[in-house]
Amino acid sequence: MTHGRVNSDMTLEQQGIAGLGSVYYNLVDHDLVQASVCRGEARLLPGGALLATTGKHTGRSPKDKFVVRTPSVEDTIWWENNPPMEPSKFDILHADMLEHMKGKDYYVQDLFAGADPSHRLDVRLVTEYAWHGLFIRHLLRVPEREELDTFTPDFTIINCPSFFADPERHGCRTETVIALNFDKKLILIGGSEYAGENKKSVFTLLNYLMPEKGIMPMHCSANHAPGNPVDTAIFFGLSGTGKTTLSADPSRTLIGDDEHGWSERGTYNFEGGCYAKTISLSPDAEPEIFATTTKFSTVIENMIADPETGELDYEDDSLTANMRCAYPLEFISNASKTGLGGHPKNIIMLTCDAFGVLPPIARLTPAQAMYHFLSGFTSKVAGTERGVTEPEPTFSTCFGAPFTPRRPEVYGKLLQDKIAQHGATCWLVNTGWTGGAYGEGSRMPIQATRALLAAALDGSLAEAQFRKDPNFGFDVPVSVDGVDDGLLDPRETWEDKAAYDAQAKRLLEMFAENFEQYVDHIDDDVRAAAIG
């Protein structure tokens, strides 16, 4: 039985998905909230937010993500980073999943990925859970009603958490599987209730498709000066580095918090919503994001709420440190209505340095920017991926290796060309540790980070006095209004200076060892900028 608004020329049956129970097409927010509660999938909280838990998967499962190895993608996929799946195994997986789905109810959302109509991707999500449908409806862009009449999906994602893969039969690693088939324009997700797999599967698609159009896909947040999209800033960074928090600056217009493209026309948001971490969320430090947790239809993941009052506990990480909320961008008062910006004037690369070595901000030359972009140094923070319980130093190329289907140099060259064409000032910002490594030092004060970013974006930081960092060779400001001068020199924040020097030496060696994989694929100026 079919419910909701569907393009009559593109039902699931016409896509070969038959024998289901009731199929609900393009339900709006309140209908999805009602369905989630009635089906026992989630709990309605005061104000109308929806609280769901995701079982054993409270983060992404990147090791269970596969690309189907077909001739059309053989020479363009970065196979060392994207485990292959044989086409025959995918076909068996697909057939088995469709058989498993028979008789069950499913929710379909037809959505756009990309705020720029000339570059958007039309994506159909078929989800077993109503709350997954609400989640992805928030995170992607919702078509106007009349646009649904002609909607034809470029790609379809089927998410079936109750289906468990057989590694031997299906050619995967565990009972959890995310399989991308570019030829069949199909993604299959099974064995995980974590809604973030939906979002990141779309991002992986865009990361593969957009470079063919000369568009730079970016794991970044973005904002611009009020009324002035020409003054756009982008913030690269992995989860937990502050992309969402730092881009949600009330003094600037938010374009988006996580995924963007840089086209010939400028910056545009891939998404239509935000997916913010809520651990230790504060109404004082992050009032706008905090307020979304009590708004109708916000999806709350893996938080603990009082059984009687429904009051959320922002400090209880007993389920995961990766507790989150998903909400439409319009819930943020200063959000852009168009999702469009200009060519970036400032590029900020966010890193969470668990070594406590890097300064809170540094200015990069274009060659240094390329080096740090390809290096993608940061720390995985607790809960973002399964098994991560405390910060782990890591190199995640392009600040998003799990979503990078092509070789890193493809994206690096795109970024290099766009910086050269349009000009941009590049900054490296450390939101990690100071005064010592993780376990001894403390997190960088967010007030200081905000002050440094404000100075960078308004141009005043460019007029500051800089010193040359003895380890990495980039420029570090000596003094900035509103920031303790001592914080700007990380060595001086350590009580044991010899320990800092040893830690810096260790980090430099890690950078050099990691970068060996790129030296044959980069220009001489980037190679020369590698260290110092």
Side-chain angles (χ1 to χ4, degrees), residues 27-34 134 137-138 296-297 328 331:
L27 296 188
V28 295
D29 293 5
H30 62 266
D31 288 331
L32 290 167
V33 169
Q34 183 179 32
L134 180 63
R137 186 177 172 87
H138 287 340
F296 180 78
S297 85
F331 281 9

Side-chain angles (χ1 to χ4, degrees), residues 137-247:
R137 186 177 172 87
H138 287 340
L139 266 296
L140 294 185
R141 305 188 72 85
V142 180
E144 298 295 334
R145 289 180 63 85
E146 59 272 14
E147 291 177 307
L148 289 175
D149 293 334
T150 57
F151 186 96
T152 301
D154 297 312
F155 277 81
T156 297
I157 299 173
I158 303 175
N159 190 328
C160 186
S162 67
F163 175 85
F164 297 102
D166 179 332
E168 184 174 350
R169 178 173 171 81
H170 300 131
C172 52
R173 191 181 70 99
T174 69
E175 63 183 15
T176 300
V177 65
I178 304 100
L180 291 77
N181 192 320
F182 287 101
D183 282 12
K184 294 193 172 183
K185 301 183 183 303
L186 184 62
I187 298 176
L188 305 178
I189 304 173
S192 173
E193 299 180 42
Y194 183 65
E197 298 289 9
N198 298 297
K199 163 188 162 68
K200 290 306 184 186
S201 292
V202 176
F203 187 41
T204 304
L205 282 178
L206 293 166
N207 273 341
Y208 183 75
L209 298 172
M210 292 302 105
E212 293 180 344
K213 302 175 71 174
I215 295 170
M216 174 67 186
M218 304 178 292
H219 189 210
C220 72
S221 56
N223 62 27
H224 66 71
N228 184 16
V230 172
D231 186 1
T232 291
I234 59 174
F235 302 74
F236 284 107
L238 286 176
S239 296
T241 56
K243 291 195 315 301
T244 298
T245 298
L246 295 172
S247 58

Side-chain angles (χ1 to χ4, degrees), residues 363-371 419 424 426 468 473-475 525 529:
R363 185 174 59 191
L364 307 177
T365 66
Q368 288 170 339
M370 194 56 47
Y371 175 76
I419 290 174
C426 301
K468 191 73 69 176
F474 42 48
D475 291 337
D525 59 340

Side-chain angles (χ1 to χ4, degrees), residues 511-523:
F511 262 89
E513 181 180 356
N514 172 74
F515 206 74
E516 281 297 317
Q517 62 187 304
Y518 307 120
V519 293
D520 294 331
H521 304 275
I522 57 174
D523 296 339

